[in-house]
Amino acid sequence: MRNSIIVVGSGVAGMTAALEAVDAYDVTLFTKADLAQSNTRYAQGGVAVVIDAMTDPGAPRLGDSVDSHVGDTLVAGAGLSDEDTVRILCAEGPAAMDELIARGVRFDRHDGQLSHGLEAAHSYARILHAGGDATGAGIAYALIDRIRESAVTVRERTTVVDVIVADGRAVGVRLLDGEEVRADAVILATGGAGQLFRYTTNPEVATADGLGMALRAGAVAADLEFYQFHPTSLDAPGNFLVSEAVRGEGATLIDADGKRFMLDVHPDAELAPRDVVARGIAAQMAKQPGIPVRLDATALGAEFLAKRFPNIDAACRAQGFDWGEVPIPVTPAAHYYMGGIRTDEWGRTSIPGLYAAGEAACNGLHGANRLASNSLLEGAVYGTRVIEGINDPAPLVDFDGDWPAAIAVDLADDPDGDDVNRSDLQQLMWDAAGLSRDGEDLERALATLAEWRAPVATDAKSAEDANLLVVARAIVASALARRESRGAHYRTDFPETDPAQATHSSIAPQHA
């Protein structure tokens, strides 16, 4: 009888893991919506990879190198990226892209060669795209086709509410209807947590489920204070993402008077690191209250924009914006989580039998700020490595070697508290733990969160709300503990970066 693996989540990390495992294991993949509903599906910007190292015959030679990609990632991580995990990502990325192509992903080409774009903080034009600005969709649907053809058991529209731990080991999952499904290993690949915040580019399914379940199970989490806010979402209902690639092609940010204000903020202006651009926009918005900043892509022309960015073009037009003729209003929004379930380079967590990969995990790769277009690559590379980690019977690594002792946080509910209201939680997190934080606001937020109670999980939404609440408490506690500004974490009361705090943070739940 073959051993069994449960995969929770259907983004690039989860589906890659399932496909890598299915020849040797009985694999069941759970997803609470349909397979296509994930952050992967909505990713626009592309995949950063050293194209020179790919075996695809259409890979151009750009003079790029693994060392260059590693260097750019370390700079973006603001002193916290783990060089070993970064090097794994960059060195194994080319093979992972070759495998995606073999699985049917059709990256954009010109005259037979892979097209390659430039994004902020990259030294080379190393970004692969599919369908212009529909890279995530191109990856997701190709992998879905392979999943459908495989022996993976897929359970869609099925909500997993908890990881089952017995004798200190993860042995399965509990579903919303009470069913318990047992397995030899559980992989959490549930994606991000954008629905913690009032404004987010993430789809409605991004509700921190894997991290919430891991915290309740007693797993250690890491770097939870580091949440990346994308500088440019469309300032309209839904906060549709306007890819960084638009600025990479030459679009500029202008104030109410039509002036390029980012030139006064950073030498790289619109192509500065995301946290710098996002805070620059927020500061400019504060100077011109009631008037949004605008992204001016008119110099690129309507024809180019429609061909290069068809999905953004359609979204702009649906909101009544002809962005080839008129600058469009943009605003920052919660986008990507650098923190997550603490793992090693094989996806192993602090609980034997429990693994994590993709945005739900944190192995130190992104540090304090993710480099643009490294996330889809992470899912492909570490979605493969997590299965190698399950195959390897080596003991759990000692997480305490290079990382500090975990902060003990009481994540238990007040039995007399009120059930959490999602809208109230999202507004609280946006105000207290958004682009800028300070100690007083974080203290008040932590007190308020302690007064709320997770609802009984009777449907998918209440299960999600329970995850959002426990993760919100952990994020605020982490943000309060880091008394400096670094990467995506900005404290107005500690605005400088403190070299003595150039270390990861960990959260250990006191009540699992």
Side-chain angles (χ1 to χ4, degrees):
M1 183 176 178
R2 300 201 310 176
N3 286 348
S4 59
I5 292 176
I6 287 172
V7 178
V8 187
S10 60
V12 59
M15 289 195 288
T16 296
L19 290 169
E20 291 291 327
V22 70
D23 289 341
Y25 297 90
D26 291 329
V27 181
T28 302
L29 187 152
F30 291 94
T31 182
K32 65 181 178 181
D34 59 62
L35 281 175
Q37 292 303 308
S38 66
N39 270 353
T40 294
R41 157 68 181 80
Y42 294 96
Q44 296 175 0
V47 188
V49 66
V50 180
I51 302 171
D52 304 53
M54 293 177 63
T55 60
D56 185 281
R61 298 298 173 253
L62 309 174
D64 197 2
S65 67
V66 168
D67 284 343
S68 177
H69 192 183
V70 168
D72 290 344
T73 302
L74 293 175
V75 169
L80 284 193
S81 290
D82 181 87
E83 186 167 355
D84 289 340
T85 55
V86 171
R87 189 161 294 278
I88 287 168
L89 178 86
C90 301
E92 298 184 10
M97 292 305 100
D98 285 328
E99 183 61 33
L100 282 180
I101 291 171
R103 285 174 171 158
V105 178
R106 300 178 64 182
F107 289 112
D108 295 341
R109 296 176 186 267
H110 180 71
D111 293 335
Q113 281 201 324
L114 287 165
S115 299
H116 47 279
L118 177 68
E119 290 191 4
H122 286 274
S123 299
Y124 289 88
R126 61 167 71 102
I127 315 301
L128 298 180
H129 294 92
D133 58 355
T135 307
I139 291 173
Y141 287 119
L143 293 180
I144 287 169
D145 287 344
R146 302 293 81 75
I147 289 285
R148 298 291 191 199
E149 296 167 357
S150 75
V152 173
T153 299
V154 177
R155 296 186 63 173
E156 296 177 279
R157 291 170 288 281
T158 303
T159 299
V160 176
V161 295
D162 278 308
V163 174
I164 301 171
V165 178
D167 298 324
R169 182 178 182 85
V171 296
V173 297
R174 183 175 296 106
L175 307 184
L176 184 63
D177 63 3
E179 179 186 357
E180 295 187 355
V181 183
R182 301 288 172 137
D184 297 288
V186 176
I187 302 171
L188 298 176
T190 53
Q195 293 300 323
L196 281 164
F197 299 94
R198 180 178 177 183
Y199 304 105
T200 181
T201 63
N202 289 186
E204 291 184 359
V205 294
T207 51
D209 297 323
L211 179 54
M213 288 188 282
L215 286 169
R216 283 197 300 275
V220 174
D223 292 351
L224 298 188
E225 65 270 34
F226 296 115
Y227 209 106
Q228 186 177 81
F229 294 82
H230 199 286
T232 53
S233 73
L234 197 60
D235 192 4
N239 290 105
F240 191 87
L241 177 66
V242 181
S243 170
E244 190 152 15
V246 178
R247 283 175 281 132
E249 293 287 357
T252 59
L253 289 162
I254 58 176
D255 63 17
D257 297 322
K259 176 187 174 185
R260 283 183 67 187
F261 61 89
M262 281 304 300
L263 291 169
D264 299 327
V265 177
H266 192 278
D268 292 332
E270 288 83 5
L271 296 183
R274 284 181 174 176
D275 62 300
V276 175
V277 180
R279 286 195 293 272
I281 291 174
Q284 185 59 42
M285 290 172 68
K287 294 176 184 176
Q288 51 186 55
I291 303 175
V293 303
R294 291 169 293 162
L295 182 69
D296 187 357
T298 57
L300 300 175
E303 183 178 353
F304 174 85
L305 291 170
K307 182 178 180 180
R308 174 68 177 82
F309 305 108
N311 288 302
I312 301 174
D313 185 71
C316 288
R317 294 185 182 281
Q319 294 289 346
F321 302 124
D322 183 354
W323 70 323
E325 298 293 333
V326 180
I328 56 174
V330 292
T331 185
H335 182 59
Y336 187 86
Y337 207 178
M338 280 77 71
I341 306 161
R342 188 170 167 185
T343 70
D344 67 0
E345 67 269 30
W346 303 104
R348 294 177 288 201
T349 75
S350 60
I351 298 176
L354 181 64
Y355 299 77
E359 192 174 353
C362 177
N363 58 16
L365 166 65
H366 301 298
N369 204 21
R370 176 180 66 99
L371 179 66
S373 291
N374 268 354
S375 53
L376 291 172
L377 185 69
E378 176 192 12
V381 169
Y382 284 98
T384 298
R385 288 180 67 87
V386 70
I387 302 305
E388 297 175 21
I390 292 173
N391 292 337
D392 183 354
L396 187 73
V397 270
D398 178 13
F399 282 124
D400 296 327
D402 298 323
W403 291 27
I407 304 164
V409 178
D410 187 349
L411 300 176
D413 285 337
D414 179 351
D416 298 320
D418 296 325
D419 280 358
V420 63
N421 176 279
R422 185 181 299 193
S423 294
D424 290 344
L425 182 146
Q426 290 171 331
Q427 187 65 58
L428 177 72
M429 291 297 289
W430 182 261
D431 292 340
L435 283 163
S436 298
R437 298 105 179 250
D438 71 66
E440 290 184 1
D441 286 345
L442 291 168
E443 290 277 12
R444 284 193 293 267
L446 199 59
T448 299
L449 291 166
E451 294 172 354
W452 291 339
R453 180 180 60 189
V456 176
T458 57
D459 57 16
K461 183 180 183 300
S462 55
E464 292 171 342
D465 287 346
N467 292 325
L468 289 170
L469 179 57
V470 70
V471 172
R473 288 171 178 158
I475 288 177
V476 173
S478 293
L480 192 58
R482 183 171 291 278
R483 297 161 67 87
E484 66 160 350
S485 292
R486 182 182 296 273
H489 172 71
Y490 183 73
R491 290 275 300 258
T492 56
D493 48 349
F494 294 98
E496 302 300 323
T497 300
D498 178 7
Q501 296 187 53
T503 183
H504 298 280
S505 64
S506 298
I507 286 285
Q510 287 182 324
H511 296 282

